[in-house]
Every structure is written in C-alpha cells, then in structure tokens.
Amino acid sequence: MIEFKNVSASYDGELAVLRDVSFTVGDGDFVAFVGTNGAGKSTTMRLANGLLKPTAGEVLVDGVPTTALKTSELARRIGFLFQNPDRQICCNTVREELLFGFKALGEEGPAAEERVDAIIERFGFDADAEPYLLNRGTRQLLALASIIVLAPPTIILDEPTTGLDFRECVKVMDVVRELNEGGTTVITVCHDMEVVGDFARRVIAMTGGRVVADGATFDVLRDGRVLKEAHILPPQVTEVSMILGRDEGCPEAIAQADTVPQMVAAIAQELQLEGRAAAEAAALANDVAAALSAETVASAAAVVEAKAMLGDAGADGEGGR
Amino acid sequence: MAKFLEYVPGNSFLHRMNPSVKLICAVLFAIACFATSNLAFLLVLLVGALVLAASCGLGRETAGLCRAVFAFSLILAVVILLTTPHGVPLVPLPWGFIGTGSLLAALTVIVRLMAAAIPLFLVFYVTKMNDITNSAVKQLHVPYKYAFTFTSTVHFIPVFMNDMAGIMEAQTARGVEFDGSLVKKVRLMIPLCVPLLVSSVRKTNSAAIAAEVRGFNLRTRESGYKDYPLGAGDWGALAVCVLVLAAAIALAALGL
Amino acid sequence: MIEFKEFSFRYREGEAPVVRDITLSIPDGCFVGITGAAGSGKSTLTYAINGIIPHCYPGDFYGSVTVEGLDTVEASLTDISRVVGSVCQDIDSQMVSTVVEDEILYGLENFAVPKDEIPARVDEALGAMGIADLRDRTIDSLSGGQKQKVAVASVIALQPRVLVLDEPTAELDPASSVAVFDLLARYAREHGTTVVVVEQKIALLSDYADMLVIVDGGRIRFADTPDAVLAHSDELLALGVNVPRATTLMNALGAQGLYGGPTVRNVAGAAAALKEVLA
C-alpha cells in the first residue's frame, strides 16, 4: 500500500513541482497517472519509491515513511521500470542482467538462479545475448523482466509503452496485466489513452503538480472538466460515445459505451428495436460502400489535389483560432 | 540552480562583454594566478573573482563550483602539506615535518586553484555557447571545426551528467546503495560506465549527423549572423587583466 | 517529387538488406506517414530521402532514390540538405545552442542566407510553430513539446521543399503530439512542402496523412490513402501495425452487419457514420 499525505516536492529547493498531493493506492490496484508532460507524474512516481523525498507531507509505503526506509528495502517492496530501458540495463548478458537485482539486494543463490531461469523461459529470452544488441522492444521487456524477477509486491511503470511498436506494447502490457491479476499492485504513467482504457481500473489525472481527478477509469476520462483542465484526450470509443451522447434521445447504453464490444452491443440493441427499418438502412449503406470502395482506388495524387483544395478552405477557417 | 556549465540568462556587465575578450581575460587571469605564489595577492584575486561572480548573480553556482574545486585542491594541499618541510616545524613526521611554510604552501594551492577556476567557469555561465563559438571563429580566427568540437564537448557535459544521474537513479531503484564510502560509490559506478558510454556514442553520433544535415560543412568564418564589436568595457577589462598578469609576474620576479 | 526505384539497402555491418525492392513515388505537397513494426525498415526509408544513407551509414545501395530530381547517391549530403530538412529522433542531441533563437539561426548561418533576410525567416519559423514567445528562452528550460517545436522551427526556417521527421512525437503527451502535427500540417499546406514522417501513433497519422505507407520486413505492404489502407485493418494488425480504435469499432459493427459504409479513420468520422446508422 502506498499513501501520499499532503505531499509537496521540489528539485534543488526551487519552485514546487508537486503541491499538496494526496491519494492512496491499495494492494492489487491498477492505477494510471495521466496528464501532460511536466504535470508532475514522473515526480510522483519518484516520490512513491523514495528516489525523491517530499519537502512537505509524507509518503508511506506499507505504513512506513519513505524517509525511514533504506534503498534496498524500498527496492524490495517496489519495482520501478524507467521509461528508457538503457538507463537500467548495465550487464553483459541477459542472464547477468536478470541476476543483477538479486546481487544488489544480497540475495544471490540457488533460489535466485531458479527464478531467473523461470523468467528466461517465460519471456523466451536468449540468456547469453548481449542486452545492447537487442532491439528496443526486447530491451524494454528485459528491463521489465529484471524488475519482476524480484517479485516486488508493487511495480511502478513510467511510460512503459513509449517508443514501442504495437506488438511490443501489447506484449509488455499483457505481462503487466498478468502480474496484476496475480495480485501485484500496478502504478503506471501512461500517455496512450487506449492502453489506459484497456488496462487501468483507476485513473489519477494531474496538471501543474496537482491531482485534478481520482476515480474509476472512465468516470475520470468522461469528465469534461478534467479533460479540459489536464489536456487529456479520451480513448476514441469513449470520445465517439460522448459525441453521440450530446444528441437528444441518444440511448444511455450508447452514450456510456467505452469499449468496442460495449458499443457494438449497444448499437445492435438499438437497431433491433428499430427492426426492419434498420435492416433496410444497412442494405442501403452497403450499396454506398460498394460504390465508394471503387473510388478509393484513386491515386494518392488525386487525393492530395482534393485535399489541397479542401485545405485552403480549412486554413481560412482555422485562421480565426 | 543552473546545471553545471550551462548558460544562465542575464544582462550583467559580464553577460554583455565580448565573448572572445571574456575568454582571453579568464585565461590571462588564470595565468596570473599560476605566475605568482604571493598568498596575499592570490587572496585579492580570489576576492575579485568572487565579486565578479556576485556581479552577475551567480553566487550559488560559484559556491557550488568552489566546493568542487576546494575538494579537489584539498587533496593536492594534503600532499603538499606532507611533502614540503618548510618554515617552523609544527608536527614531526617520520620523513620530515609539517611546518608553517608547508601550511602556507598548501593554503596557496587552494586559493590559487579557486581563483583561477572561477573566471573560466563564469565564462560558460554568462555566455551562450554559440556566441563563444562564433566569436572565437570570427575574431580569434579559430577554425570552426575546432571551436564547434570544443563547445559541443562543453555542451555535452551536462547532458552526460544528467544521463549518469538517471542511470544511477535507475540502479538505486533496483536496490543498489550508492550512499556510503567514496570507494564503495566508485566501485558501484564503474559498471554503470557501460550504459553511459553506449548512450554517449549514440548521442554524439546523432548530433554529428544532425549538424551535418543542417549545413555544418558549409560554414565559414563569415557565416555567423551576429557581430561581436568590442566596446570600451571590453578594452578596459583586457587592460585590467593585463595589469593583473603584469603585477603577478613582477611579484614573482621580485621574489615576493 | 520523391521517387524510389527498386531501392534496396543493406547496412555494411548487417547481414541482410533492411529494405528491399522499394518502388514508390511521393507527389509534391503530399503528407506521408510511414509506419510499421520495430525493425521493419521504416527509418531507413527516411534516411534514403535525406541522404544519411549512403552518406553517413555506408552499405550496399541498389536501385535509385531521387528527391526533386536530385539523385541522393550522387549528390552530396550538403546539397541534399538544401532541399530536404530533417528532424532527427533524438532532439536533445540535435540541439547545438543554448538559446532558442540561436538554434533557429544555426542552419540559416550555415546556408549563408543573406543577413537582411534572416530576421524575417526567424520570425516566420517561430511563428509557424507557435513559439514566438520562446525566442529568448534557454533550450534547457523547455518542455519536451516545446523542444520538438523548436527542432521543427529550426528546420523550416531553411524553407526546405521536403521535410523528413523521425518519430517527432515519441516523447510527447497526446495534446502536444496533436499540436505538433497540427502546426506541421498547416505549415506544409501553406508552403506546399512535402512531409514524410515516421510515426508509431497510428491515430495521428490516419488523421493527418494524405498517404499511409506500411512497411513490413523491409518491403512496402501498403502505400495509399489512409482510408484505403485502413480497409485492410485485419492484415495491419497481423503485421503488428495498430489501427485507430474508431476504425476497429466501425469494422466490428461491419462484421455484425450493422454498418456497411466506407472505412472510418478518426473519431469525427466514426461519430458521423454512427449518427447516420442510428438516424
């Protein structure tokens, strides 16, 4: 459990980067911190694992203030994955890298070796590979593996998917989800709102060093005031349902849909209510689609030309902004 | 507080001085510090350097610098203390003694290094990197490639320091305890030079490419957009520094 | 006009070519988004346009790449950079200055832009990226988004006809990413600049690009309008390329027979299409 009690923090005693932040993350929680660059999210993460000490207030890990915990004790309780895996990786082989944490904590031995073997197997690593020669995604996975091999009860991830391609992103987040389902507390900073929507159960939104919202993921991501204040764009399906919800008479299920399956189910239900009329509309839409798909074969050049014309009109409109 | 060797905006006399003159003055000043061993004169120079630092609002940066130089010169001072048996003996040593002369010599080293270092470092705090490069190229006729290499190196120091801090932080999060004795700290830091080196090579490589695709090779002495005329203040500062150097040499010649 | 003709490239230290048999023409003024899984060769394509290949990274170069009639193998890197402006991935190491204004001046000085033209060029570049107020700030004091805008401004000050950007929003939050793309697209439209951008954020690319190029295993799998490319969303996902969630939603509805309209590439498109479905 991690508790922030009226925490303020600053670097070098200058301007406060965090002001009066309070929240509690319970065991087994999955929390995402969202907000713009510089909102104070990374600072919050560094406070949570004691890399930074508060200038006011208290950060408690399992009831103990971080100021009273030694580095190694904190490391045992909280695993921290940095945004840039290259800062973390420092050994010559994948195997050494995975053993490094045990060494740092003075816990080498057969039990550690066993855990390392298990994780190499699970991630499908080449144990003798040189970490620097691996590609970015694999390095990120290695950095994550070298943290979770220590089985900390809490893991903190600072933008774990930045710089990864889609497949690598899914791989990393699947591992994280699995850990969370096994009881590990997960705290993550994440800019990818689709990832936040798919994985987090709770969202804390920050701006200018303050917490502006703390609640169930989609309660926060649907709150117009929060979105505006913290400069957040909601996940796309949520945004679509919010737009549709503005229309009068929009069914509640559609206005509240946050995932693709929810939205599909809501629309299916709505259309069935409308019965045959809907079926006819669908048939009509199909015809339109057939007609249009012939057009999409048009060359890129033609599209550019059309866009340029549209663009001129658009530019005039935007000039007023 | 500004990062190590990074420009701090301002409008003080030092900020407005010609970059080349600043460099020359700092070098003259440093030579003067090394030319004399007169402790009183060195103290005057040190106070002068501190006043300069205060005049451009860099008190805190300079204090930090003084601490670093002090720590370094302290090692030298201790060596001198133990190996220069001069003056009235105070503490007997198996191979000689520590005397009043040894103390004086040790003190001189500390004061000299601090006095010499401050103006050199101040140059980088009060001058934009590009101004140093362009002025050195235009007025001192330093070849651009050398000037650029030099300023880029200085430019990268805080970047690498920042990287090292990040790397150490990442290892701290894994339970490595850097706090403790210096020896232990250094031993723990050695393996971390690998990630630092990897990121440095990557960074310098991409910096070189980035400069090249922005016409680095086309640059000549005439390229710089800004001109750096010498004002009365610049000539005055130069004169003062020449006088300081002359005084230092005179003192040395007189054996004072 | 950028033309790849049967272009293949193998880095000297690499075993196999990283890109092969690339044939592609990019018309003037086109906003092109290149994406693909890690290691697919997408960055190599941009290096071929700005001449970093073969001038900085030697290797085996087959076929030809011409930019505005300039053969990138024959022309020197400097000559290419008069036509192609590049914004590198690592912004921090690209910066050569301590202050924003100096960063913009750097390229202008190198290319010997007449001194009486320089102030207007600096003003225009800063204005185009919406950072006129940052002129005297130290680069160190800027946020990631601001730095990115400075990097782009320092290149557009050179008025290149082609602009190449390698993952310009990788480090940015969504709001800043959109802002950078917005400014970039507007600038390109107003100046007829061709833009080639490598990007992982598919939702952004789909929204802004005129042409999407999907690279897989060093080959081009798709090169077409975003709508046409996104129509193959299942194949894209199989290649490890994400698809905007709005597209996935409409495709899922299509699979249920609830939507039969054209492919949707952004939130606005999905909302409009759904309004029609529900009407």
Side-chain angles (χ1 to χ4, degrees):
Chain A
M1 188 158 89
I2 296 178
E3 290 167 85
F4 273 55
K5 288 185 178 168
N6 308 100
V7 173
S8 296
S10 62
Y11 295 100
D12 298 325
E14 283 186 9
L15 228 64
V17 280
L18 223 60
R19 277 173 289 171
D20 198 23
V21 168
S22 298
F23 60 85
T24 304
V25 177
D27 292 337
D29 224 339
F30 195 136
V31 189
F33 280 77
V34 301
T36 55
N37 298 115
K41 307 182 302 291
S42 290
T43 305
T44 305
M45 299 304 110
R46 296 167 77 248
L47 280 158
N49 82 332
L51 284 172
L52 190 71
K53 311 292 183 195
T55 46
E58 258 189 327
V59 179
L60 305 172
V61 175
D62 299 329
V64 188
T66 52
T67 42
L69 282 167
K70 277 177 62 181
T71 315
S72 52
E73 280 172 67
L74 278 164
R76 214 167 271 130
R77 286 168 211 252
I78 300 173
F80 197 114
L81 181 69
F82 284 82
Q83 187 188 344
N84 182 352
D86 294 342
R87 289 194 164 168
Q88 199 173 318
I89 292 169
C90 64
C91 300
N92 294 324
T93 68
V94 166
R95 197 183 165 76
E96 278 176 43
E97 190 63 41
L98 292 167
L99 273 169
F100 183 90
F102 291 106
K103 262 194 216 162
L105 299 178
E107 291 175 5
E108 298 140 286
E113 301 272 344
E114 227 169 81
R115 295 248 290 277
V116 168
D117 287 335
I119 213 128
I120 287 174
E121 166 106 35
R122 177 172 160 199
F123 280 79
F125 288 135
D126 170 5
D128 300 318
E130 218 176 302
Y132 291 104
L133 300 180
L134 302 171
N135 64 40
R136 168 76 205 249
T138 315
R139 288 205 302 275
Q140 183 75 316
L141 270 177
L142 174 60
L144 177 62
S146 71
I147 298 279
I148 63 178
V149 71
L150 302 168
T154 300
I155 52 172
I156 296 179
L157 314 161
D158 195 355
E159 297 184 34
T161 62
T162 294
L164 302 188
D165 72 22
F166 177 58
R167 208 176 272 156
E168 294 163 341
C169 169
V170 169
K171 219 168 173 179
V172 166
M173 290 315 293
D174 277 347
V175 171
V176 172
R177 187 197 321 245
E178 212 177 292
L179 282 171
N180 181 247
E181 283 166 0
T184 307
T185 310
V186 177
I187 302 174
T188 181
V189 168
C190 193
H191 280 323
D192 188 334
M193 288 303 143
E194 304 297 348
V195 171
V196 171
D198 288 351
F199 293 91
R201 279 194 298 279
R202 175 177 162 200
V203 165
I204 295 181
M206 295 186 74
T207 189
R210 292 175 301 118
V211 168
V212 284
D214 178 355
T217 300
F218 288 106
D219 289 348
V220 174
L221 297 182
R222 285 183 163 274
D223 187 330
R225 174 192 68 87
V226 174
L227 297 177
K228 205 169 169 192
E229 211 174 323
H231 302 284
I232 305 167
L233 307 169
Q236 290 201 333
V237 176
T238 304
E239 203 178 344
V240 169
S241 72
M242 285 168 76
I243 293 172
L244 295 177
R246 274 180 226 141
D247 286 353
E248 227 168 287
C250 174
E252 191 64 7
I254 293 176
Q256 292 299 325
D258 288 310
T259 63
V260 170
Q262 279 172 11
M263 184 63 101
V264 172
I267 290 188
Q269 198 187 8
E270 178 64 16
L271 291 183
Q272 262 162 22
L273 289 179
E274 287 177 22
R276 256 185 59 201
E280 278 165 21
L284 186 69
N286 259 324
D287 294 343
V288 176
L292 276 173
S293 68
E295 274 174 44
T296 47
V297 193
S299 75
V303 174
V304 173
E305 213 169 65
K307 266 210 124 175
M309 279 170 1
L310 281 172
D312 290 341
D316 294 339
E318 279 168 24
R321 268 205 267 170
Chain B
M1 193 166 116
K3 281 192 204 139
F4 185 63
L5 285 190
E6 266 185 356
Y7 174 68
V8 180
N11 199 28
S12 69
F13 173 68
L14 279 191
H15 277 95
R16 283 177 282 123
M17 260 174 81
N18 174 289
S20 294
V21 172
K22 267 187 260 193
L23 255 185
I24 293 172
C25 284
V27 171
L28 289 177
F29 194 90
I31 296 174
C33 291
F34 282 93
T36 178
S37 293
N38 184 311
L39 186 58
F41 186 63
L42 282 171
L43 276 171
V44 171
L45 292 184
L46 178 60
V47 170
L50 289 172
V51 168
L52 275 182
S55 78
C56 42
L58 288 166
R60 283 177 58 189
E61 283 76 8
T62 313
L65 168 72
C66 285
R67 264 200 302 279
V69 177
F70 183 75
F72 172 74
S73 55
L74 205 58
I75 301 173
L76 282 179
V78 168
V79 173
I80 288 171
L81 207 58
L82 297 176
T83 58
T84 330
H86 281 310
V88 183
L90 295 173
V91 182
L93 291 171
W95 58 86
F97 62 89
I98 296 177
T100 48
S102 334
L103 273 177
L104 219 58
L107 199 60
T108 307
V109 162
I110 295 177
V111 175
R112 172 187 288 154
L113 282 177
M114 284 183 17
I118 292 169
L120 282 172
F121 280 82
L122 276 183
V123 173
F124 294 99
Y125 282 118
V126 297
T127 323
K128 295 174 201 165
M129 207 58 75
N130 302 51
D131 290 340
I132 299 182
T133 323
N134 291 339
S135 166
V137 170
K138 275 194 168 179
Q139 294 171 316
L140 302 181
H141 292 215
V142 175
Y144 178 69
K145 270 180 195 165
Y146 297 141
F148 185 76
T149 309
F150 174 72
T151 48
S152 305
T153 310
V154 176
H155 180 64
F156 266 115
I157 291 174
V159 174
F160 291 153
M161 282 173 72
N162 192 20
D163 261 0
M164 193 62 192
I167 291 167
M168 281 175 67
E169 191 171 61
Q171 305 308 331
T172 307
R174 297 169 87 181
V176 179
E177 278 166 349
F178 287 101
D179 25 359
S181 74
L182 189 70
V183 179
K184 185 185 159 205
K185 192 170 172 179
V186 170
R187 192 175 52 81
L188 287 171
M189 278 170 76
I190 287 168
L192 304 185
C193 291
V194 179
L196 183 65
L197 214 64
V198 169
S199 88
S200 316
V201 170
R202 271 198 199 134
K203 282 212 166 87
T204 40
N205 193 23
S206 59
I209 291 178
E212 208 164 333
V213 296
R214 277 199 291 161
F216 175 82
N217 285 325
L218 290 172
R219 199 165 180 111
T220 65
R221 201 147 65 79
E222 306 307 319
S223 294
Y225 170 63
K226 291 181 195 158
D227 289 314
Y228 302 93
L230 266 72
D234 293 309
W235 292 111
L238 261 179
V240 168
C241 287
V242 169
L243 278 178
V244 165
L245 181 58
I249 293 171
L251 282 172
L254 292 171
L256 291 173
Chain C
M1 177 98 149
I2 302 170
E3 276 214 279
F4 290 82
K5 276 190 192 147
E6 291 166 16
F7 165 64
S8 297
F9 189 80
R10 182 179 70 82
Y11 288 96
R12 192 151 63 191
E13 62 274 21
E15 279 163 27
V18 275
V19 291
R20 49 185 98 195
D21 302 329
I22 303 286
T23 296
L24 175 72
S25 353
I26 298 172
D28 285 340
C30 192
F31 195 120
V32 184
I34 303 183
T35 194
S40 58
K42 53 191 190 305
S43 290
T44 304
L45 286 187
T46 64
Y47 295 162
I49 297 172
N50 59 21
I52 289 180
I53 280 173
H55 296 285
C56 295
Y57 298 134
D60 298 336
F61 192 112
Y62 302 100
S64 74
V65 179
T66 52
V67 179
E68 308 274 318
L70 213 62
D71 186 306
T72 59
V73 176
E74 281 162 22
S76 74
L77 191 55
T78 304
D79 285 336
I80 298 169
S81 54
R82 289 178 203 275
V83 181
V84 185
S86 311
V87 179
C88 308
Q89 202 172 1
D90 184 353
I91 293 301
D92 281 322
S93 45
Q94 173 176 338
M95 300 286 176
V96 294
S97 314
T98 18
V99 173
V100 171
E101 186 183 30
D102 288 346
E103 189 66 30
I104 315 288
L105 281 177
Y106 181 73
L108 294 172
E109 291 174 341
N110 289 351
F111 286 108
V113 173
K115 288 195 178 171
D116 51 340
E117 267 181 46
I118 284 185
R121 291 265 203 119
V122 174
D123 289 344
E124 201 208 344
L126 289 171
M129 293 317 283
I131 48 170
D133 54 327
L134 299 182
R135 191 180 192 124
D136 296 318
R137 288 270 295 275
T138 59
I139 285 171
D140 188 53
S141 70
L142 304 180
S143 71
Q146 290 170 329
K147 270 188 207 170
Q148 190 66 53
K149 288 176 194 166
V150 171
V152 177
S154 75
V155 173
I156 61 179
L158 305 172
Q159 302 181 343
R161 275 178 284 167
V162 177
L163 205 52
V164 172
L165 304 100
D166 198 355
E167 304 214 21
T169 70
E171 311 269 314
L172 305 188
D173 59 64
S176 315
S177 306
V178 171
V180 166
F181 263 71
D182 237 15
L183 292 163
L184 202 59
R186 187 190 304 180
Y187 173 83
R189 206 167 48 217
E190 284 168 6
H191 293 77
T193 314
T194 309
V195 177
V196 179
V197 51
V198 168
E199 180 64 71
Q200 282 295 346
K201 293 175 185 160
I202 189 77
L204 267 183
L205 280 189
S206 310
D207 221 1
Y208 285 93
D210 304 313
M211 185 199 280
L212 263 187
V213 176
I214 310 293
V215 190
D216 175 55
R219 293 173 199 275
I220 291 180
R221 294 297 286 263
F222 298 100
D224 209 331
T225 61
D227 287 344
V229 173
L230 291 174
H232 304 273
S233 58
D234 289 344
E235 283 162 76
L236 293 178
L237 290 169
L239 296 176
V241 173
N242 202 358
V243 171
R245 208 49 75 85
T247 308
T248 311
L249 170 67
M250 297 315 285
N251 288 355
L253 287 168
Q256 300 280 316
L258 299 171
Y259 173 68
T263 311
V264 156
R265 60 167 162 160
N266 54 23
V267 167
L274 281 177
K275 275 184 187 173
E276 265 178 48
V277 168
L278 293 169

